[in-house]
Amino acid sequence: MAKPELDESEQRDVTRLCIQSGLLLMQHGAESALVESVIRRLGLALGVGSVEVAIMANALTVTTLSGGHCITTVRRNEDRGINMHVVTETQRMMLSVEAGQLDLARAMSRLEEIKPYKYPRWLVVVLIGLSCACFARLGKADWTGCGVTFVAAAVAMAARQQLAHLHFSPLVNFFVTAFVATSVAAQGLIYKLGETPKIAMASCVLLLVPGVPLINAVSDMVKGYINTGISRWTMATLLTISTCGGIVLAMNVWKVWAWL
Amino acid sequence: MSFLLLLLQDMALAAVPALGFGMLFHVHPRILLYCALFGAVGHGLRFLLMDRFLLPIEWGTLVAATVVSFVGVYVAQSLRAHPKVFTVAAMIPMVPGVRAYTAMLAIVQINQKGYSEALFQTAVQNALQAFFTIGALAVGLAMPGLILYRRKPVV
């Protein structure tokens, strides 16, 4: 079936919508395969002949082809932190377009309406504290150790949120947060709280494990996006190194060596 | 404690971090429950496989992640959301964080105190196990795309 050709301004709008959706996905922690498939399906559903996507670590390029005319556009990508709600909403917008429920203009306004969903900060602090306490319990810590882990992780999470709020680089953020967490947990070792203070020290920094970048890195590489996979893996490694720096500094300040 | 109780305890202890990290990743409340559910199922299954079937941690992780991702595809299709939205948070309890940090800290120690066989052994063993476990997690999550949905999108 031959598609009716789009005129230039329509094609330009479709291209803008495509790259804007792709950029939102990239900024909020979607893997490359999803970014590419959403952009491509969106463009094809809106009537362009073909869509080509090039994904780089910190930029996104989209070319649409319609009636022999190409439009190429590039956007710089900056990481906005993981927000799965934005990913879900962007994908649902694409699915609605594909189902014919949204036209171009309404798709654009729907995309602009997507706001990152935020949980109350105190709730995240409490739940991350509890999460790390559960990790401690899984690592066979006693209840006192779990309590120490809860306090250390919750304080660290509050620090992490504040530093992120002040737009510090994640590397600085993770360094300081690891220092805070280990400093609080080190008191358990200094004052001999419970039988398992070392497990508490190991568990309280688990809120800093870069799980999403690591998993995205491997899935990207498995699916053929070696470039973005390597850069994600490198970033995750840097974050781990930075966290270790914070741990080592805290252990040297408090004169406890709990890990090895 | 009986094995069933241990398993239930393991699942409950994994559900909380899956939920907590789901919040950290800003998963919408309506989907958040699935993070906890799949977190519990995944970690519990790995516990079962390692404890009863004596699978090494990497293989246990691979099987658990694969099962979660296949079930996740069905849930995802009814939710109209990509399965990664909730399965990644569900995998967090299985991410070998302590191993990764131990490896890195051993490397720091080698730099500070000088090379020793024991430190190097700690670094290499922990780093390798962390690497393979993360690989198993991610490959397990990619399984539906690799096996069933080869040329069509999952959602």
Side-chain angles (χ1 to χ4, degrees):
Chain A
M1 185 185 82
K3 287 176 186 157
E5 279 177 21
L6 301 176
D7 66 34
E8 195 188 319
S9 88
E10 277 176 326
Q11 190 188 351
R12 197 176 296 279
D13 285 343
V14 171
T15 314
R16 282 195 181 133
L17 179 69
C18 285
I19 198 155
Q20 207 55 44
S21 327
L23 196 60
L24 268 183
L25 291 172
M26 271 180 88
Q27 285 172 336
H28 294 95
E31 59 172 18
S32 301
L34 181 64
V35 176
E36 175 159 8
S37 102
V38 167
I39 295 176
R40 175 162 289 149
R41 287 165 71 183
L42 192 57
L44 294 179
L46 289 169
V48 293
S50 77
V51 185
E52 303 300 330
V53 184
I55 303 176
M56 282 156 277
N58 46 13
L60 184 62
T61 312
V62 173
T63 294
T64 57
L65 184 75
S66 182
H69 293 283
C70 279
I71 294 184
T72 299
T73 185
V74 181
R75 294 286 183 282
R76 175 145 170 62
N77 166 39
E78 53 182 40
D79 194 29
R80 295 258 175 97
I82 299 147
N83 196 315
M84 290 302 176
H85 179 64
V86 174
V87 174
T88 314
E89 286 302 305
T90 310
Q91 191 177 16
R92 284 183 180 160
M93 182 275 291
M94 181 274 289
L95 289 171
S96 301
V97 171
E98 222 174 33
Q101 293 158 349
L102 288 180
D103 58 12
L104 177 59
R106 280 167 62 203
M108 281 175 133
S109 61
R110 171 79 82 86
L111 196 69
E112 274 163 25
E113 280 163 18
I114 296 175
K115 291 275 174 291
Y117 184 87
K118 300 259 192 246
Y119 284 95
R121 274 165 73 168
W122 63 267
L123 188 63
V124 178
V125 164
V126 170
L127 266 151
I128 290 299
L130 278 177
S131 302
C132 288
C134 284
F135 283 136
R137 191 68 190 159
L138 281 173
K140 307 215 171 16
D142 57 9
W143 290 110
T144 322
C146 291
V148 172
T149 311
F150 173 78
V151 175
V155 171
M157 190 63 220
R160 178 175 165 180
Q161 286 174 337
Q162 191 55 35
L163 288 168
H165 186 68
L166 296 172
H167 299 290
F168 277 97
S169 141
L171 291 171
V172 178
N173 189 342
F174 277 42
F175 181 83
V176 176
T177 307
F179 177 79
V180 171
T182 308
S183 297
V184 176
Q187 309 310 314
L189 206 69
I190 293 167
Y191 293 103
K192 307 225 165 16
L193 301 175
E195 303 293 315
T196 53
K198 290 190 175 188
I199 300 176
M201 272 184 89
S203 307
C204 70
V205 283
L206 288 178
L207 75 146
L208 297 169
V209 174
V212 174
L214 283 173
I215 291 177
N216 274 344
V218 180
S219 10
D220 273 9
M221 288 195 258
V222 169
K223 292 171 186 172
Y225 301 88
I226 303 283
N227 267 316
T228 51
I230 290 175
S231 62
R232 284 184 212 266
W233 186 273
T234 309
M235 192 61 206
T237 309
L238 286 180
L239 288 171
T240 314
I241 293 176
S242 153
T243 308
C244 280
I247 297 173
V248 169
L249 181 67
M251 288 198 295
N252 283 323
V253 167
W254 297 101
K255 304 270 186 300
V256 290
W257 194 266
W259 277 79
L260 300 169
Chain B
M1 229 192 300
S2 77
F3 178 73
L4 195 66
L5 268 177
L6 280 173
L7 181 65
L8 284 177
Q9 178 190 304
D10 183 87
M11 289 173 77
L13 285 175
V16 177
L19 186 87
F21 277 85
M23 278 189 169
L24 193 61
F25 303 154
H26 305 284
V27 178
H28 196 271
R30 258 168 288 171
I31 307 182
L32 201 55
L33 191 67
Y34 292 103
C35 294
L37 189 68
F38 286 121
V41 169
H43 205 275
L45 183 59
R46 184 173 83 167
F47 178 74
L48 180 79
L49 290 170
M50 284 168 63
D51 198 80
R52 286 291 129 129
F53 298 90
L54 304 175
L55 246 61
I57 187 163
E58 302 84 3
W59 288 101
T61 308
L62 183 67
V63 175
T66 307
V67 169
V68 165
S69 64
F70 271 105
V71 183
V73 166
Y74 286 98
V75 176
Q77 285 167 345
S78 67
L79 287 173
R80 294 172 78 232
H82 195 265
K84 280 272 167 78
V85 165
F86 49 89
T87 48
V88 170
M91 292 300 113
I92 293 293
M94 290 199 272
V95 172
V98 176
R99 296 257 170 212
Y101 289 143
T102 309
M104 210 61 97
L105 284 168
I107 293 170
V108 172
Q109 285 282 78
I110 290 174
N111 177 41
Q112 282 183 345
K113 293 185 177 170
Y115 177 85
S116 79
E117 199 68 44
L119 278 177
F120 191 65
Q121 195 182 355
T122 314
V124 172
Q125 277 182 347
N126 283 288
L128 280 178
Q129 195 177 94
F131 175 77
F132 282 115
T133 311
I134 289 167
L137 277 177
V139 173
L141 283 187
M143 272 308 179
L146 294 173
I147 292 175
L148 287 184
Y149 296 86
R150 292 188 300 274
R151 307 222 43 185
K152 58 186 173 195
V154 172
V155 176

